[in-house]
Amino acid sequence: MQALGIDIGGTGIKGAPVDLATGKLLAERKKIATPHPATPEAVTEVVREVAQSFGWTGAVGATFPGVVANGTIRSAANVDRSWIGTDAAAQFGKALGTDVVVLNDADAAGVAEMTFGAGVGVKGSVLMLTFGTGVGSALFADGVLVPNTEFGHIEIRGKDAEKRASENAKVTHDWGWKDWTERVSEYLQRVEALLSPGLIIVGGGISKEADKWVPLLTGVQAKIVPATLHNDAGIVGGAMAAAGHAKAE
Ligand code: BGC
């Protein structure tokens, strides 16, 4: 079984057909820069282009970098605020002429990691965190997702945590690995104090360079492992949601 996964990020919109038995991409992914401003109309047009580039007419699952309840967007920290209240599932469905399931990007990435990646078979409480334009979170209890957690927005030193711990913050402030990882450690310590997960999976594009920073993390009891699907996790999780393998709300 196959489905098309489309991952909508603050920086890029990327998609590929996915083999749902293996979690492998069936074609090279198509990536288009996120339009600015990232309005519903502009993003929908890019989502349509991505689907069209594969001549896709089957099931589609799209991820969104905000809270998604029943296909409707409830928050938009890193995309245009006019998304809030938009029924993204209906809007994408109309543009693509097929059913589209929409879910939070970190939730999608987490489901993919729990099924095909670093979290396979792990029981208890598992927290997946994605470090990218923002910081996304996906919490699992015995493999079951608690959807729409927003642990990237807890406050640290008077600031939204993702403004200090995201990959974007590292780039914006020109922090080296050591300076950035100190902030990530402080963030993980706070998250651990609130949730005590047994395992923390660290993902997002920066997980490709995990060897440069994961060994520098300090003060956390939980086991910390890098994601194994890296930047493809959102695409894979989106496709899984389209096929009903991941709950979208
Ligand atoms: C959003 C989350 C999202 C994360 C990663 C945060 O700013 O609030 O919903 O999962 O960024 O994109």
Side-chain angles (χ1 to χ4, degrees), residues 14 41 44 47 50 56 62 87 90 97 102 123 126 155 159 204:
K14 42 195 194 277
E41 297 67 36
T44 302
V47 167
V50 170
W56 197 262
D87 186 341
V102 185
K123 296 278 179 225
V126 177
E155 193 181 301
K159 286 222 171 79

Side-chain angles (χ1 to χ4, degrees), residues 65-67 77-78 104-106 134-136 150 153 162:
V67 172
N78 294 303
N104 172 263
D105 57 356
V135 173
E150 286 285 329
H153 295 297
E162 72 175 20

Side-chain angles (χ1 to χ4, degrees), residues 30-229:
K30 170 86 177 169
K31 182 171 179 182
I32 299 176
T34 304
H36 288 289
T39 58
E41 297 67 36
V43 169
T44 302
E45 176 52 26
V46 174
V47 167
R48 199 188 56 74
E49 262 178 63
V50 170
Q52 202 178 42
S53 75
F54 297 103
W56 197 262
T57 52
V60 179
T63 77
F64 188 85
V67 172
V68 188
N70 296 315
T72 296
I73 306 309
R74 298 287 180 217
S75 78
N78 294 303
V79 284
D80 198 75
R81 288 192 62 79
S82 60
W83 272 104
I84 296 174
T86 300
D87 186 341
Q91 182 154 324
F92 295 157
K94 199 164 155 222
L96 270 58
T98 183
D99 280 349
V100 181
V101 173
V102 185
L103 77 168
N104 172 263
D105 57 356
D107 285 351
V111 166
E113 287 292 336
M114 294 302 284
T115 312
F116 300 112
V120 173
V122 183
K123 296 278 179 225
S125 162
V126 177
L127 183 67
M128 161 93 187
L129 293 169
T130 62
F131 297 85
T133 310
V135 173
S137 62
L139 181 65
F140 295 85
D142 284 340
V144 179
L145 173 70
V146 180
N148 284 318
T149 59
E150 286 285 329
F151 294 118
H153 295 297
I154 60 174
E155 193 181 301
I156 298 194
R157 294 181 192 256
K159 286 222 171 79
D160 198 7
E162 72 175 20
K163 296 277 184 286
R164 298 163 45 85
S166 62
E167 178 180 18
N168 198 36
K170 179 179 186 301
V171 173
T172 308
H173 296 281
D174 202 17
W175 287 325
W177 291 110
K178 186 174 165 291
D179 287 341
W180 177 68
T181 307
E182 274 170 18
R183 289 166 171 92
V184 177
S185 287
E186 188 178 14
Y187 171 62
L188 294 182
Q189 288 160 16
R190 179 71 67 79
V191 167
E192 177 162 68
L194 295 171
L195 298 172
S196 298
L199 177 69
I200 301 176
I201 303 172
V202 292
I206 204 160
S207 60
K208 272 184 264 177
E209 297 174 275
D211 56 325
K212 300 205 175 98
W213 60 278
V214 174
L216 305 180
L217 292 168
T218 55
V220 182
Q221 306 298 315
K223 188 170 172 207
I224 303 173
V225 294
T228 60
L229 302 176

Side-chain angles (χ1 to χ4, degrees), residues 5-7 14-16 18 25 29 63 231-240:
I6 301 180
D7 192 17
K14 42 195 194 277
V18 176
L25 305 195
R29 63 188 199 173
T63 77
N231 249 345
D232 289 340
I235 295 176
V236 175
M240 291 175 70

